[in-house]
Amino acid sequence: MDPETIIAIFNVIFYVFVFLFGVTIGSFLNVCILRIPKGESLITNNSHCMSCNTEIKRYDLIPIISWCLLRGKCRACGAKISPRYTIVEALTGIMFVICFAVFPYDTYGIYFALLALFMSGLIVLAFQDLDTQEMCVSVLIYTGIMAILTHILTLIRIDGSQLVTMPATLKECLIGMVSVSGVMLIIGFVITPVFYILFISQDHKDLRRLSRALKNEKDAKETKKLTKKIEKVKTKIKNNGPVFGFGMGDIVVMAAGGLMLGIKATVFAAVIAVMTGAVYAVIRKATADEEDDSSNAFAFGPFLIIGLAIAAYVGNAAVDGYINTMIK
Ligand SMILES: [Zn+2]
């Protein structure tokens, strides 16, 4: 065999190893997604079936493979196991491979590893937000710490070369930290309250009006109708709460993203988030039940995180390309 073939084979084996390592981390991320919001321990191994509560055997906990072998069903009771665990594992594996491929060690030092750990936090936040419409504070802090740690490690030099070289400068990262999150803060705390007074407060007025009507209503049929209407307005109010603004989690995640990736990537991420979020909102509205008012509400965090994930790899190049085309 010629040396080039050997190097190619070695590369493939190495990438497979990186993928499998990522998959293992993904398996741990699944545990984080499920247990952190409930305040359960991450270390004790007590994975159990969601339907029959049977403890899952160690040999049935092999990432991706076990799920495929069991054809997505619990060994004990045959209940369907969500493909999401496998999706999270595969996603993390692919993410690790991309980090490794886009930021080679020769140029960026161990940046690929720090970025992969940072992105792991984002994966947990995205799925937590999908499940609970909230991001856990501890995971938000983790992503912030990873970004700060990465900057600190750039100061370390081994044999004259940096341990970590970031694709953005410290200045770009500091501006990135406040740029998008600052705009979101203004939207969240200035524009949203105004919006609330103009539009959402109408629902509260409706609720009071309907409640008064219900008190005075004697007819059984009408009472039933009114109760139904009240329930509807109540769900609307409940769902509207965080919809028109950003959660604090969204703002923190964009600040941490900015500190890790820099201004260009963060702005790019925001653009992607708004575009994908808008497409999703339209699809959701179009396919939703006409009766269902809750179709207005959805978590925006996952879209910000999708934006950051894409921006981490292509954001700088895309923004540079865009600016160059515009100037020409
Ligand atoms: Zn079961």
Side-chain angles (χ1 to χ4, degrees):
M1 263 197 284
D2 58 303
E4 270 178 34
T5 324
I6 295 171
I7 290 171
I9 292 171
F10 184 78
N11 261 328
V12 170
I13 293 170
F14 203 75
Y15 273 105
V16 169
F17 177 78
V18 171
F19 176 74
L20 292 178
F21 184 75
V23 167
T24 315
I25 299 288
S27 191
F28 176 67
L29 298 187
N30 272 321
V31 177
C32 296
I33 293 164
L34 280 181
R35 294 190 192 168
I36 292 176
K38 293 187 206 157
E40 291 174 6
S41 163
L42 294 176
I43 304 155
T44 50
N45 177 30
N46 56 357
S47 297
H48 45 76
C49 168
M50 293 285 184
S51 305
C52 65
N53 226 17
T54 310
E55 198 171 309
I56 300 169
K57 299 274 186 305
R58 235 166 233 286
Y59 54 79
D60 282 341
L61 282 171
I62 307 162
I64 303 176
I65 296 167
S66 287
W67 188 82
C68 294
L69 285 177
L70 294 167
R71 293 170 196 214
K73 283 179 192 143
C74 167
R75 193 185 280 275
C77 70
K80 244 188 123 210
I81 301 167
S82 168
R84 203 179 87 173
Y85 306 109
T86 301
I87 292 169
V88 169
E89 285 156 1
L91 206 64
T92 313
I94 294 165
M95 183 269 285
F96 269 68
V97 168
I98 298 175
C99 282
F100 200 73
V102 174
F103 299 105
Y105 179 78
D106 324 355
T107 321
Y108 296 97
I110 61 161
Y111 179 69
F112 71 90
L114 294 156
L115 182 63
L117 290 173
F118 175 81
M119 299 285 255
S120 299
L122 292 191
I123 289 177
V124 172
L125 288 172
F127 283 95
Q128 279 178 352
D129 202 12
L130 271 181
D131 287 348
T132 62
Q133 300 228 346
E134 253 171 67
M135 299 184 190
C136 284
V137 175
S138 54
V139 188
L140 285 169
I141 292 172
Y142 164 84
T143 55
I145 287 174
M146 283 314 299
I148 294 167
L149 181 70
T150 307
H151 281 283
I152 292 171
L153 291 179
T154 59
L155 302 173
I156 296 174
R157 280 169 185 280
I158 293 169
D159 293 335
S161 60
Q162 272 181 305
L163 181 63
V164 178
T165 306
M166 295 178 76
T169 64
L170 177 62
K171 193 177 159 192
E172 283 174 335
C173 289
L174 289 173
I175 298 170
M177 181 172 75
V178 293
S179 54
V180 171
S181 61
V183 172
M184 288 166 75
L185 209 61
I186 294 168
I187 293 172
F189 289 95
V190 179
I191 299 177
T192 303
V194 173
F195 211 86
Y196 175 85
I197 291 161
L198 290 179
F199 299 102
I200 303 173
S201 61
Q202 185 58 41
D203 295 334
H204 290 270
K205 273 184 207 156
D206 287 346
L207 185 63
R208 282 196 293 273
R209 182 176 53 78
L210 288 168
S211 302
R212 268 201 305 276
L214 182 67
K215 250 185 206 163
N216 302 326
E217 191 57 61
K218 300 280 185 294
D219 185 49
K221 210 173 161 193
E222 286 297 313
T223 307
K224 213 175 172 186
K225 248 190 200 167
L226 279 171
T227 320
K228 224 176 174 182
K229 268 189 192 166
I230 287 173
E231 280 307 310
K232 223 167 135 184
V233 177
K234 271 186 185 164
T235 18
K236 197 173 168 195
I237 288 168
K238 203 177 130 213
N239 288 320
N240 271 345
V243 180
F244 293 98
F246 300 101
M248 215 45 212
D250 298 334
I251 296 171
V252 174
V253 94
M254 287 313 278
L259 188 59
M260 186 73 183
L261 306 173
I263 168 78
K264 290 175 193 167
T266 316
V267 170
F268 183 78
V271 172
I272 297 281
V274 170
M275 288 197 308
T276 50
V279 170
Y280 176 76
V282 169
I283 293 170
R284 198 184 154 104
K285 198 87 194 164
T287 55
D289 232 307
E290 270 186 34
E291 295 284 303
D292 184 15
D293 287 319
S294 68
S295 56
N296 284 323
F298 66 92
F300 191 54
F303 296 97
L304 290 170
I305 289 169
I306 289 169
L308 285 174
I310 298 171
Y313 306 117
V314 300
N316 284 324
V319 171
D320 284 340
Y322 179 77
I323 291 170
N324 285 338
T325 323
M326 283 299 159
I327 288 171
K328 267 178 201 164

